[in-house]
């Protein structure tokens, strides 16, 4: 995660924006949350879609595993070593003693969006939306986890509306996915 955070900062600097709306899906949502907590001066707002949230709960994992067979298949390249490294760094992050204090103190507006038919339970997103001072939760009904793939028109409208809503009070900087 540290390398991905540094990459986000490198992208931000390369496109020459001081602040931006960060959009992250799935693991990118969790990365975006960490980025916002660690660089709040750089994040105008965060839109986190279908994230896991900072938890390793057995009931969440059981629901995820039970529903995997019914998920639409999205053919994405998979590198087991990269996945393992990201998983290990995620675990290290959620075990930090000041994790919850940092989240509760982060003033970045955060809109968490759950996919209504996601096999991943949305309660961690609800917890985050309640914990962060400027958090909000909404659900897009009738779409699976990877609705950017299965329902691209719904995805585009969802992201556009969320950026417009959260960016209304900003200077118009670009939103770039995490």
């Amino acid at each position: 995660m540290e390398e991905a955070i540094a990459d986000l900062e490198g992208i931000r600097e390369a496109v020459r924006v001081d602040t931006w709306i960060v959009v992250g899906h799935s693991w990118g949502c969790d990365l975006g949350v960490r980025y916002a907590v660690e660089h709040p001066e750089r994040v105008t707002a965060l839109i986190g879609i279908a994230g896991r949230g900072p938890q390793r709960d057995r009931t969440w994992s059981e629901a995820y595993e039970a529903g995997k067979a019914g998920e639409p298949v999205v053919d994405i390249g998979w590198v087991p070593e990269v996945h393992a490294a990201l998983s290990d760094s995620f675990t290290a992050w959620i075990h930090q003693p000041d994790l919850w204090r940092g989240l509760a103190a982060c003033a970045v507006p955060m809109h968490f969006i759950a996919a209504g038919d996601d096999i991943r339970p949305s309660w961690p997103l609800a917890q985050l939306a309640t914990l962060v001072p400027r958090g909000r939760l909404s659900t897009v009904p009738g779409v699976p986890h990877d609705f950017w793939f299965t329902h691209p028109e719904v995805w585009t409208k969802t992201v556009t509306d969320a950026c417009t809503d959260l960016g209304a009070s900003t200077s118009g900087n670009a939103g770039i996915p995490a």
Side-chain angles (χ1 to χ4, degrees):
M1 286 185 93
E2 294 81 9
E3 190 173 325
I5 297 286
D7 289 347
L8 284 173
E9 270 299 278
I11 293 167
R12 186 194 56 75
E13 291 168 358
V15 298
R16 295 189 174 114
V17 295
D18 291 329
T19 62
W20 57 359
I21 296 173
V22 175
V23 178
H25 170 262
S26 195
W27 189 82
C29 171
D30 302 323
L31 176 64
V33 169
R34 181 170 177 178
Y35 179 73
V37 169
E38 292 182 7
H39 297 280
E41 73 285 356
R42 300 294 184 207
V43 182
T44 303
L46 169 73
I47 300 162
I49 304 169
R52 175 188 186 124
Q55 53 79 29
R56 288 270 192 224
D57 182 84
R58 284 190 181 122
T59 61
W60 186 96
S61 296
E62 289 167 0
Y64 171 76
E65 290 299 326
K68 270 173 87 170
E71 278 248 294
V73 176
V74 180
D75 188 25
I76 297 175
W78 181 261
V79 180
E81 299 81 12
V82 171
H83 181 264
L86 293 173
S87 180
D88 290 347
S89 67
F90 175 81
T91 299
W93 173 57
I94 66 172
H95 288 170
Q96 290 180 359
D98 62 347
L99 171 71
W100 301 107
R101 181 179 306 277
L103 290 167
C106 186
V108 173
M110 297 186 193
H111 182 175
F112 297 101
I113 302 171
D117 292 343
D118 199 336
I119 64 168
R120 295 149 186 84
S122 63
W123 60 260
L125 295 179
Q127 287 178 327
L128 277 171
T130 301
L131 177 63
V132 297
R134 298 174 67 192
R136 176 177 163 206
L137 175 70
S138 63
T139 300
V140 180
V143 297
H145 180 76
D146 291 318
F147 71 102
W148 56 268
F149 178 76
T150 60
H151 297 75
E153 68 292 338
V154 176
W155 172 268
T156 300
K157 180 170 178 18
T158 299
V159 172
T160 301
D161 290 351
C163 286
T164 301
D165 292 347
L166 286 172
S169 63
T170 70
S171 61
N173 289 324
I176 297 178

